[in-house]
Each structure stands twice: as C-alpha cells, then as structure tokens.
Amino acid sequence: MLTEAVAVASSVPVEDVCRASMLVGDLSETAQVALAEGADALMTFRLRVGRGIKPMLASPAHSLDAALEELGGQVSVEYKLDGARIQLDRDGAEVRCSPAACARSPGRCRSWSSCTRPT
C-alpha cells in the first residue's frame, strides 16, 4: 500500500516505484527521489555491490482465481522448505556475505564466499 501511495503522490507509475524500491532496498529513499525528481530519476537506480535489494519472489495476483486465469489454468505448486536467505556480493575477487546472515552463521558464510570466488 505504501508503494502505491508513493506512486500516486509523486505521479510516477507504480511499476517504476516498485523497481526503484527493490534496487535501493529502502522505500523511504525511493519516495524522496520520486517526490523531488520524478520517474526519470528513479530509472537511474542500479544494482550496487554491497547494497541489499528487496527480494521479488513472485508477481502478486488479486486472488487465486485471477492467478490461475493469468497462468492459463495449469500450474505446478511446490511446498516451500525453510532454508537460509543470504546475500553474497562479489566485486572482482572480493566476496562479502551480508552482515545479518554472517552474524547467524559466520563459518557457513566463509565457505559460501570461497565457493563464489572467480576462477
């Protein structure tokens, strides 16, 4: 709802606000730029090493029926198993694990980082 409110208040398409917020990871920063500088400024937002992004796991639908209709009626559904959500950032040979994930499991982050080093 807040994303839509930012879009309406700034006269920026909601899709542009969603994209910018995902890339920045912070709706308040996105809102400030949208209100002050508009849609063109939001389109300059890019991925940046070391800055977290919001996960975009699925496209929302208004209802199950709407989702099935959009997908053509035939779908496959999986159970979600618990697991670790981490963020690894690689800039050349430097690899960093997100602080929150490393705080919970520093040994595991070291092993993940070594697996992602460029060969």
Side-chain angles (χ1 to χ4, degrees):
M1 286 181 17
L2 288 176
T3 302
E4 290 84 1
V6 169
V8 170
S10 62
S11 299
V12 170
V14 70
E15 295 81 11
D16 293 352
V17 174
C18 287
R19 176 192 170 277
S21 179
M22 177 193 66
L23 292 172
V24 170
D26 182 357
L27 183 59
S28 64
E29 182 179 340
T30 302
Q32 290 173 0
V33 172
L35 290 165
E37 302 174 48
D40 288 343
L42 292 183
M43 296 311 290
T44 66
F45 287 13
R46 299 283 182 262
L47 288 173
R48 189 168 57 197
V49 173
R51 180 175 64 187
I53 62 171
K54 287 186 175 182
M56 300 295 280
L57 301 177
S59 298
H62 294 290
S63 69
L64 178 58
D65 289 337
L68 290 172
E69 182 178 329
E70 184 177 329
L71 296 171
Q74 293 188 347
V75 298
S76 173
V77 179
E78 298 177 356
Y79 288 101
K80 182 191 177 299
L81 301 176
D82 269 348
R85 178 173 288 157
I86 65 162
Q87 178 175 326
L88 291 176
D89 294 304
R90 187 178 95 186
D91 187 7
E94 183 180 355
V95 178
R96 293 182 306 244
C97 187
S98 67
C102 287
R104 289 188 298 273
S105 183
R108 188 173 280 174
C109 283
R110 279 192 297 275
S111 66
W112 287 328
S113 295
S114 67
C115 292
T116 60
R117 284 198 175 28
T119 56

